[in-house]
Amino acid sequence: MAAIFKRELKSYYTGLTGYVIAAVLLGFTGMYTVTLNLTYGYPNFEYVLDSMTLVYIVLIPLLTMRLIAGERRQKTDTLLYSLPLTSGDVVLGKFLAAWTALALPMAVAGLYPLILGRFGTVNYATAYAGLLAFLLMGGALISIGLFLSALTESQFVAGALCFAVMLADFSAYSLSLYVSGASYVSFMTLMAGGLVIAAVLWYLTKNIAAGLAFAVVADGAMLVCYLLSPALFGGVMSKILQALCVFIRMTGFINGVFDWQAVVYFLSVTAVCLFLTAQALEKRRWS
């Protein structure tokens, strides 16, 4: 795993990607710090981090789109399979390299609260708790991008798909406030979602029977539940959208609360996506 980590981290800085990521993160950090902390006089560095979450929509695709899709396009993934490493080692090494490329410039940004503290009162606990949450959220989003990169050979497709997913997730909470609470709306949407998941399952396994079985069981169970008690589906889509929104988990930290549920959420998303990525690689290893 260490060899994969060093190779991937070095690749960020032998090209422009690592420097572009650092420039964007530090540039936006400086801009928001000047605007919020110096111009408007807010003593809360966590407000800067909250404003910067939007940057992830562009940076995460840039960080992750080539990690596995690039290996598949260049046919170098077969070399990875020949190494005495498990798929989990490969995935973890690539993930940690991308996360490190994100964390290095933010470590520099971690000096900002100390600088601001020389000119006023800064709550260091909330500032650095917000920075921790920002990095944990970045890790969760990187794991999602890494999984999407494992689904295709095209870096462009992986990047575009990741950008679309990041944008959708960023908008999920706002959308949840406008989604109809009608039971039939949630039912129809969940039925469609079951078919989409079945299609993804078929794509990953190349087993149409598995995809069809999932669609029949999942959609059949939902149909039975809807016929027995339509009220169960009332407002479900709104709750699902809120549960899927990674970005909204920063709210507690911005309000000065160390949200352990958000920490567990970030770590859980990271673990699940890394597991799925490892399974996608393992499937390709044996196919």
Side-chain angles (χ1 to χ4, degrees), residues 176 179-183 185-187 190 222 230-243:
S176 71
V179 170
S180 172
S183 298
V185 173
S186 296
F187 170 69
L190 289 173
M222 284 188 286
L232 289 175
F233 291 83
V236 168
M237 276 311 301
S238 178
K239 295 177 182 177
I240 290 176
L241 287 173
Q242 292 178 19

Side-chain angles (χ1 to χ4, degrees), residues 1-80:
M1 185 191 75
I4 298 293
F5 170 76
K6 293 177 182 178
R7 169 178 172 261
E8 292 297 332
L9 185 60
K10 183 180 179 180
S11 70
Y12 282 117
Y13 296 102
T14 52
L16 291 176
T17 304
Y19 299 103
V20 169
I21 290 167
V24 170
L25 284 173
L26 292 176
F28 274 93
T29 304
M31 181 181 69
Y32 283 120
T33 299
V34 169
T35 303
L36 297 174
N37 299 133
L38 300 182
T39 303
Y40 291 104
Y42 292 113
N44 308 85
F45 182 69
E46 57 271 22
Y47 291 177
V48 173
L49 299 171
D50 183 44
S51 301
M52 285 179 57
T53 55
L54 181 65
V55 177
Y56 276 149
I57 296 176
V58 176
L59 285 190
I60 298 302
L62 183 63
L63 265 172
T64 61
M65 65 182 184
R66 67 166 187 82
L67 285 177
I68 297 178
E71 300 274 11
R72 292 179 61 180
R73 182 178 63 84
Q74 297 171 4
K75 307 303 181 185
T76 54
D77 58 330
T78 55
L79 296 177
L80 294 177

Side-chain angles (χ1 to χ4, degrees), residues 26 47 67 70 92 95 100 123 137 147 162 169 182 184-185 192 196 202 223 226 233 245 249 256-257 260 276 283:
L26 292 176
Y47 291 177
L67 285 177
L92 192 57
F95 167 76
T100 302
N123 189 326
M137 183 173 71
F147 172 63
C162 185
D169 190 84
Y184 74 91
V185 173
V196 170
W202 167 75
L223 178 60
Y226 182 75
F233 291 83
C245 185
R249 307 295 164 177
V257 177
W260 284 104
L276 293 175
K283 171 190 168 294

Side-chain angles (χ1 to χ4, degrees), residues 88-277:
D89 292 332
V90 173
V91 170
L92 192 57
K94 287 177 173 289
F95 167 76
L96 290 176
W99 202 6
T100 302
L102 176 71
L104 288 176
M106 294 312 299
V108 177
L111 299 174
Y112 288 16
L114 299 177
I115 297 172
L116 293 171
R118 295 181 61 86
F119 302 96
T121 302
V122 175
N123 189 326
Y124 296 115
T126 58
Y128 288 108
L131 183 59
L132 174 64
F134 186 81
L135 291 174
L136 289 176
M137 183 173 71
L141 296 175
I142 287 172
S143 68
I144 295 172
L146 185 61
F147 172 63
L148 296 174
S149 181
L151 299 181
T152 178
E153 295 182 358
S154 170
Q155 296 183 50
F156 175 78
V157 172
L161 183 60
C162 185
F163 176 79
V165 170
M166 294 297 113
L167 185 60
D169 190 84
F170 185 82
S171 307
Y173 186 81
S174 298
L175 290 174
S176 71
L177 302 178
Y178 298 98
V179 170
S180 172
S183 298
Y184 74 91
V185 173
S186 296
F187 170 69
M188 296 301 295
T189 306
L190 289 173
M191 290 286 283
L195 294 177
V196 170
I197 295 174
V200 171
L201 183 63
W202 167 75
Y203 176 80
L204 291 176
T205 63
K206 302 302 180 184
N207 187 335
I208 192 171
L212 286 174
F214 178 87
V216 170
V217 172
D219 284 5
M222 284 188 286
L223 178 60
V224 171
C225 290
Y226 182 75
L227 293 175
L228 293 176
S229 180
L232 289 175
F233 291 83
V236 168
M237 276 311 301
S238 178
K239 295 177 182 177
I240 290 176
L241 287 173
Q242 292 178 19
L244 292 177
C245 185
V246 177
F247 288 87
I248 199 62
R249 307 295 164 177
M250 278 283 290
T251 302
F253 294 92
I254 304 309
N255 293 329
V257 177
F258 193 92
D259 190 349
W260 284 104
Q261 290 185 343
V263 171
V264 172
Y265 180 90
F266 291 142
L267 295 178
S268 299
V269 170
T270 302
V272 169
C273 290
L274 292 182
F275 172 77
L276 293 175
T277 306

